[in-house]
Amino acid sequence: VQLVESGGGLVQSGGSLRLSCAASGFKYGDYGIGWFRQAPGKGRERVSCISPLDRISVYADSVKGRFTISSDKATNTVYLQMDSLKPEDTAVYYCAASPMFISSCREPPEGYLQFWGQGTQVTISS
């Protein structure tokens, strides 16, 4: 299983970015996909998750109404459209795949089946 994130960068407050998570090594829908982020000096927090087959999505309160998660079966890619970005959105963003994300959008405990990408930096200037 491989997850490759892309699309990070530096934008001004109020701007937009679209992150991509290209997945391989498993069939579309076998796992839910989650986006998490980690800001400097802080723990990793959930951003959003999607169950690809039924398109059910979940968002953290801090990003509701600004971020949109979507999935593309043809390319086995999950996107995170981020609008109205704020400086506090600055973080390294990771995508992850796990059976857990089909029913629960939280970081799986150690030992639970999960795969993580390498992360992509998102920096929002004020």
Side-chain angles (χ1 to χ4, degrees):
V1 172
Q2 189 174 23
L3 302 169
V4 179
E5 302 101 331
S6 61
L10 170 65
V11 297
Q12 290 187 327
S13 181
S16 297
L17 283 172
R18 188 176 80 155
L19 304 184
S20 300
C21 174
S24 60
F26 62 91
K27 191 173 63 174
Y28 181 86
D30 277 354
Y31 302 135
I33 303 295
W35 284 99
F36 293 76
R37 67 186 182 185
Q38 187 166 20
K42 295 188 177 181
R44 193 156 55 191
E45 63 171 352
R46 74 168 189 178
V47 175
S48 181
C49 297
I50 188 167
S51 175
L53 289 181
D54 53 24
R55 304 294 178 103
I56 292 176
S57 56
V58 176
Y59 298 92
D61 288 343
S62 58
V63 306
K64 271 181 189 174
R66 300 189 298 121
F67 290 12
T68 304
I69 192 170
S70 61
S71 62
D72 182 345
K73 183 177 181 179
T75 59
N76 206 4
T77 299
V78 171
Y79 300 98
L80 185 68
Q81 177 67 40
M82 306 187 296
D83 299 317
S84 302
L85 284 161
K86 305 174 182 179
E88 51 264 44
D89 294 319
T90 294
V92 178
Y93 283 70
Y94 300 90
C95 72
S98 174
M100 173 167 283
F101 301 142
I102 292 175
S103 58
S104 177
C105 190
R106 60 185 178 92
E107 187 162 343
E110 188 175 340
Y112 199 97
L113 185 62
Q114 57 190 294
F115 306 95
W116 291 81
Q118 81 288 350
T120 185
Q121 176 70 47
V122 171
T123 304
I124 312 303
S125 63
S126 57

